[in-house]
Structure formats: C-alpha cells, structure tokens
Amino acid sequence: MTTQQRTATLTIDGKSVDFPVYSGSIGPDVIDIRSLYGKTGTFTYDPGFQSTAACKSSITYIDGDKGELLYRGYPIEQLAVHCDFLEVCYLLKNGELPNQAQYDDWTNRVKRHTMVHEQLVRFYQGFRRDAHPMAILVGVVGALSAFYHDSLDINNPEHRLVAAIRLIAKMPTIVAMAYKYNIGQPFMYPRNDLSYSANFMHMMFATPAEKYEPNPVLVRALDRILILHADHEQNASTSTVRLSGSSGANPFACIAAGIACLWGPAHGGANEACLKMLEEIGDVSRVGQYIKRAKDKNDSFKLMGFGHRVYKNYDPRAKLMRETCHEVLNELGLHDDPLFKLAIELEKIALEDDYFVEKKLYPNVDFYSGIVQRALGIPTQLFTGIFALARTIGWIAQWHEMIGDPENKIGRPRQLYVGAQQRDVQPMANR
Ligand code: SDX
C-alpha cells in the first residue's frame, strides 16, 4: 500500500517541477519521477541503481543500517529456527505462513514434480564432464521451457502456479544431476518419502550401490542455508528476472537469466570465490597482507564475502550462517577446521580495521556459507548452484508479483549518451 504524503520540487534552468512522494509500510519513501522526462526533457542518472526503487514489493524488506531482513514481515532469525524451507517457499509465494492443511497440500504438490523429463538427461551429455555446474544450470533450466508448453501462458494463473511448483520441485534434481554428471556417477532419482532437503542430499550423495540415509543434523543445516538464501529484495539476479519477465518471457527463461546473473563473483559467485580466497590465504599469519591488498586502490583484490550494497551493518544471514557452521563442524567433529578458524580470525581482524569500519564492510551471507557447504560435502564449484536452488523461490515470487502488478511495464532504461555526434560515412579509401 502506498500513500502520497508530500511532494518533492526539482528546479532546473529556473523552472520548478513537483513530483509526488510516496511512503510504503516501512523503509525509505520514494519520489515518483515517471513524469520527469516529459516535464523537463532530462533523465535521472543512477548507474548501479544505488538510489532507485524499480518497483513496489511486499515480499522482502531489508534495513541495511540495522542489519534486518524480513520475509513477508517475519524476521529471518525466526524463520530460520521455526520453519522449514518449503514452509518459507509457501510464505514467499503466497504472503502468509501455511497452516497444516495448506502445508501438506503444498508439499504434496511439490513432491509430484520432483522428477525431470527423461529426455532432459540428454542435455547433460552435451556438456564436458568438467563443465562448471552454473553453465549446466543456465542451459538446462532454460531448456525446461521446451518441455512444458502446457504452462507458458503467463497470463493464466494456473500456468503460473504449476510453473512455479515445477521450478521449486525440479531445481534440487537438476542441481544434483549436474553434480553427479561432473563426478561421473549415475543420476539418482528423487525420493518423495524424504523431506525436500533430505531428498536433495540423497540425490547428491547416494549411489545405487549402497544404502544412504541423510544425517538429520546436516539436513537441517542445509534446509537453513536454503532459507537464508531464499530471497533478498531487488538484488542483481532478481532484477534480472523481473526485467526478463517484463517482456513477457516465460518463467523458465526468466529463471535461467537469473541463474546467469547470480553466477558473477560480485553476487552469488562470492561464496565460491570466498572459499578459494581462504584457501589461498591459508594461514592467519598471511591475513594482514590480504587485508592490505583489499585496501589498495591499485589492487583489484576484494575481500570476498565482505561488503554489501544494502547492509552497512552485519548481514543477519552471516550471523545465522556462522552458527550453522559451528553446528555442522561440531556434528562432524571438525570444530578445529583450519579454514573456519582462519575465517573467524579474518573477520575479527577486518572488523577492527579502520578501512572496513569506515566503509561499513561487514561479512555477508557468502562469508561462511562456503565453509559450511564444504563441510556438508558440497564441492566448491556447486556453492552457487545451491544458492540458485534456494533463490529460485525468491525469483519466482518476485516474478509472480511483477506479472500481477497493474503498473508493470516492459523495463527499458535510457542513457546519458557520450558518443560521437552525427557524421557521414566516408569511402573506405578515404578512412
Ligand atoms: C550477494 O544485493 C544483494 O542482496 C546480494 C545478495 C543476495 O542475497 O542477493 O546479498 C548476495 O551478492 C552478497 C555480496 C557477495 N559479494 C561479495 O562478497 C564480493 C565482495 N564484495 C564487493 O564486491 C562489494 O562489497 C559488493 C559488490 C558486494 C557491493 O558493492 P557496492 O555496493 O557497489 O559497493 P562498492 O563496490 O562501491 O564499495 C564501496 C567501497 C569501495 O571503495 P571506494 O571506491 O569507496 O574507495 O568499499 C570498497 C570498494 O572498493 N569495498 C571493498 C569490498 N567491498 C567494497 N573493499 C575491499 N573488499 C571488499 N569486499
């Protein structure tokens, strides 16, 4: 719900123009500048969208200064303790936590779609065995639109729902198949008698040759990791999904675009980059030189897992991820894990350093997630794939909200042109 409370006046070349200012339910107000170009002939300029609200949304709220994260109004700290991932999926998509009957219906509907079309297996065989899993995910998820012609009419609510359920249900299968393909083991079919996260662990680590029962402590840890990564307001990959969806592209193609964007090391690829960085640092005695590099303007090195566009305080997900790390490492008897101890030391040193304090650079969700995923047996290259698995519900919920928004228009930003003035083509001999 937005209410207009006051106006903002912009004066340019002596001419003043008023714009409405809207308030949401919590968080910063917005200046509605949609009429700016028509009234003044000028654009706003905001590369990276640091001061731009691209949409209205009621799904996720972040207070970067306080380090708060709410999914549909519920604090992430409470959801991570009291709910499971499918419950949070229901919440993000529908706006309310499910009662028992709604939860049972939801989980049953998801379980009926955990298998992929048997033809899809052939897509994997087109990749090299050492293909990065994110390359496989972009290709295979995009290819889903070639299999589900029965649910591509984005204006049909039932099509939107079944596409959402298919994506939530199939992402674990697709991600686990990418892992099995990488290591040359046979694909494991889903087991619908298991919970969502236990089934994923089964498809990842079971083999036809032996009985495998997922460790419940590790399953709970994975489920919490999925909850922490489920949605995060208008981040780069979510904005990619919204922009793709604004043209009317089908949901499978939009999610594939989101996966491609998430892959970048500045975004979802940071967990993989962070673990590689910790392995490269190797020992606490070398932390100082890496902190120095991170502060050096002439060195492109950044401390991976630190900093955030919105959080100028501790990312609440990082705190929960660190607790989960402790639980998993203790369960596995790895509490002396050298990388975890190095991460704790690195965090301590960085948070006492003036540069990081002044720039408000705190650990983000990616700082500890790599360590806990490695302890769960997930290969480094697959960390971002797990992030994509979790974020699929966030992308779907945001895509769904955009499709239902009467103000939704195709996204088409403008530019500040700094190129050549108009000129005539000269014959090749005269160039
Ligand atoms: C995710 O948006 C989301 O919500 C994303 C996410 C989600 O759930 O969807 O939260 C997931 O992507 C988390 C972020 C993961 N990325 C990393 O950990 C990579 C390392 N972090 C940086 O690349 C950076 O902090 C970003 C990309 C996360 C944020 O970049 P911004 O907001 O554009 O800020 P910036 O790069 O302009 O940095 C501000 C200053 C700069 O110095 P000055 O030019 O002002 O002198 O801080 C410096 C930066 O050089 N800085 C760092 C740093 N991060 C920022 N210096 C050293 N190490 C770092 N990690």
Side-chain angles (χ1 to χ4, degrees), residues 141-142 145 244 249-258:
V141 172
S145 42
S244 308
N250 72 72
F252 305 104
C254 294
I255 299 305

Side-chain angles (χ1 to χ4, degrees), residues 76-77 80 221-230 271 314-329 340 344 347 363-373 376 386-387 390:
I76 190 70
E77 294 83 355
L222 175 69
D223 205 69
R224 181 176 291 183
I225 288 170
L226 299 182
I227 291 171
L228 296 179
H229 288 83
N271 48 24
Y314 212 103
D315 182 337
R317 302 169 297 174
K319 281 182 193 151
L320 292 159
M321 195 64 79
R322 186 172 56 186
E323 286 166 21
T324 304
C325 229
H326 269 301
E327 285 167 21
V328 168
L329 293 174
F340 184 57
I344 295 270
E347 175 190 339
N364 57 51
V365 68
D366 293 300
F367 187 62
Y368 286 103
S369 72
I371 300 168
V372 64
Q373 289 187 66
L376 290 173
I386 305 291
F387 196 152

Side-chain angles (χ1 to χ4, degrees), residues 232 266-267 297 303 305-306 308-309 317 355 359 364 391:
H232 213 240
H267 189 14
K297 280 276 149 260
L303 214 51
F306 267 77
H308 199 277
R309 170 61 59 77
R317 302 169 297 174
Y355 174 90
K359 293 187 184 297
N364 57 51
R391 186 53 58 88

Side-chain angles (χ1 to χ4, degrees), residues 73-86:
Y74 293 102
I76 190 70
E77 294 83 355
Q78 294 183 30
L79 293 169
V81 169
H82 300 299
C83 299
D84 71 21
F85 179 64
L86 273 189

Side-chain angles (χ1 to χ4, degrees), residues 81-200:
V81 169
H82 300 299
C83 299
D84 71 21
F85 179 64
L86 273 189
E87 222 173 325
V88 170
C89 287
Y90 183 97
L91 169 68
L92 288 169
K93 169 107 181 36
N94 301 304
E96 297 297 336
L97 283 166
N99 59 33
Q100 192 62 53
Q102 291 163 331
Y103 178 76
D104 294 345
D105 174 61
W106 177 251
T107 49
N108 289 333
R109 291 194 74 164
V110 169
K111 287 187 174 188
R112 274 210 309 275
H113 291 277
T114 50
M115 291 209 296
V116 293
H117 193 293
E118 202 62 17
Q119 297 273 121
L120 208 67
V121 168
R122 296 189 191 163
F123 279 86
Y124 288 79
Q125 282 141 10
F127 289 99
R128 285 171 39 146
R129 285 283 179 178
D130 62 352
H132 194 290
M134 289 300 280
I136 296 176
L137 295 187
V138 171
V140 170
V141 172
L144 288 177
S145 42
F147 287 81
Y148 297 113
H149 297 288
D150 65 337
S151 62
L152 295 181
D153 175 3
I154 60 169
N155 299 307
N156 179 330
E158 190 47 35
H159 282 204
R160 293 204 298 267
L161 177 60
V162 72
I165 287 177
R166 278 175 166 147
L167 280 159
I168 295 164
K170 295 181 197 306
M171 275 303 276
T173 311
I174 289 169
V175 173
M177 285 170 74
Y179 172 60
K180 287 300 198 187
Y181 185 74
N182 271 165
I183 61 174
Q185 282 190 1
F187 297 141
M188 295 302 292
Y189 284 107
R191 272 184 52 188
N192 290 339
D193 61 307
L194 297 175
S195 71
Y196 189 88
S197 294
N199 174 43
F200 178 65

Side-chain angles (χ1 to χ4, degrees), residues 50 62 228-229 231-238 262 264-271 273-274 291 293-295 297 301-312 315 317 355-356 359 361-362 364-367 387 391:
Q50 307 204 57
I62 303 171
L228 296 179
H229 288 83
D231 192 51
H232 213 240
E233 201 214 68
Q234 306 310 317
N235 58 86
S237 54
T238 297
L262 186 73
H267 189 14
N271 48 24
C274 183
I291 297 269
R293 283 188 58 195
K295 293 156 65 173
K297 280 276 149 260
F301 173 78
K302 286 195 188 303
L303 214 51
M304 301 316 281
F306 267 77
H308 199 277
R309 170 61 59 77
V310 177
Y311 289 122
K312 300 311 172 191
D315 182 337
R317 302 169 297 174
Y355 174 90
F356 288 85
K359 293 187 184 297
L361 303 174
Y362 291 87
N364 57 51
V365 68
D366 293 300
F367 187 62
F387 196 152
R391 186 53 58 88

